[in-house]
Amino acid sequence: MEITKVAVIGAGTMGNGIAHVFAQSGFKVNLIDVNQGSLDRALATIDKNLSRMVAKDKISESDKDAALSRIQTFTDIKSGADSVQLVVEAVNENFDLKTKIFKELAEVTSEETILASNTSSISITKLAGVVKERSEKVIGMHFFNPVPVMKLVEVVNGLDTSDETYEVIENLSKKLGKTPVYVNDAPGFVSNRVLMPMINEAIFCVYEGVATPENVDEVMKLGMAHPMGPLRLADFIGLDVCLDILRVLYDGFADPKYRPCPLLVKMVDAGKLGDKTGEGFYKY
Ligand code: CAA
């Protein structure tokens, strides 16, 4: 199957990054969000990130204009998704919301359309279960932030995902300049099963007074060559997202080793979610 037109659902950090890389790689993109303000902000972010690439001579001004001209925005799923060959869902990490969207997608898209989710931890098999008649077309296509920079796409098959669907997504990821890596469907896949316990442990170090956030991050940057310390990274990802993923791990494995640190829970309750709210472990 030849993919030329995709829909991306959700215009947040991941959604706008995913729309950016598809448009830059020559695909037509329908970016869908219920909130027109989010769509406007997403277009402004994509414009800014493309301009940054122009300034660094990675792309030309006309490449930038061409990429922007390939993106159209929509506030309803039906008009944005009915004529595409692939949908990448990138809404919040909330199973009920994803379920609602997948059910609607199964109704408005053609039977051939692949339904991918950028979920960072929710089971692809469980998501596919809500659209049983289409489950062979459901797959995990997990991108990393900042999407235009990070090379990885973690590709996850559900129990029923067909080999054909997998091959289309593997080849497509390469066309986007990314490296697809296959992992089996398990809570948190590989990326977040390894990353989130590290972030959670870094938060416990602060909670127990072992070190300040700055010093925890210095240890991991200078001692382990991480580009960002785990607490800076947690702010960058969003503390609410980190908490959601830890809860998926905790529930999915029924194992107390994934218990979210009480300090993380408190910070999310206080609305200190990191970069996006101006304060997390650091102030922005
Ligand atoms: N769009 C386009 N280009 C961007 C960009 C964006 N949004 N953000 C950064 N860049 C480019 C910069 O232009 C720069 O390009 P050059 O190398 O050509 O100069 C390059 O990326 C590096 O950026 P900076 O120089 O501004 O800053 P930096 O060197 O500190 O790097 C970083 C920034 C790339 C974010 C780096 O700190 C990093 O890799 N951090 C770790 C990020 C990470 O772990 N992401 C995964 C999070 S987990 C996730 O997303 C999934 C999940 O499920 C939770």
Side-chain angles (χ1 to χ4, degrees), residues 136-260:
E136 83 286 358
K137 295 279 180 191
V138 176
I139 191 161
M141 193 178 188
H142 185 203
F143 292 85
F144 293 80
N145 184 22
V147 183
V149 180
M150 306 309 276
K151 290 279 169 227
L152 175 65
V153 177
E154 199 176 30
V155 184
V156 189
N157 281 358
L159 194 62
D160 290 342
T161 309
S162 68
D163 291 347
E164 191 200 343
T165 300
Y166 175 76
E167 274 159 32
V168 171
I169 295 302
E170 184 184 45
N171 289 329
L172 183 67
S173 303
K174 290 179 187 163
K175 283 191 194 156
L176 298 176
K178 305 290 182 202
T179 303
V181 176
Y182 178 73
V183 311
N184 281 317
D185 191 14
F189 314 130
V190 169
S191 53
N192 282 314
R193 183 170 178 173
V194 176
L195 177 65
M196 286 303 155
M198 180 188 72
I199 286 177
N200 200 37
E201 210 55 41
I203 301 172
F204 269 111
C205 286
V206 175
Y207 180 63
E208 292 171 8
V210 178
T212 61
E214 290 79 1
N215 285 354
V216 170
D217 280 353
E218 282 297 277
V219 166
M220 299 304 287
K221 279 197 296 182
L222 302 181
M224 275 46 118
H226 288 195
M228 287 172 159
L231 299 168
R232 175 70 196 91
L233 181 58
D235 278 359
F236 181 66
I237 292 169
L239 299 188
D240 52 339
V241 176
C242 294
L243 181 58
D244 284 345
I245 297 172
L246 278 163
R247 285 186 169 144
V248 169
L249 292 170
Y250 184 76
D251 293 343
F253 290 110
D255 187 333
K257 80 175 170 186
Y258 300 105
R259 176 176 76 104

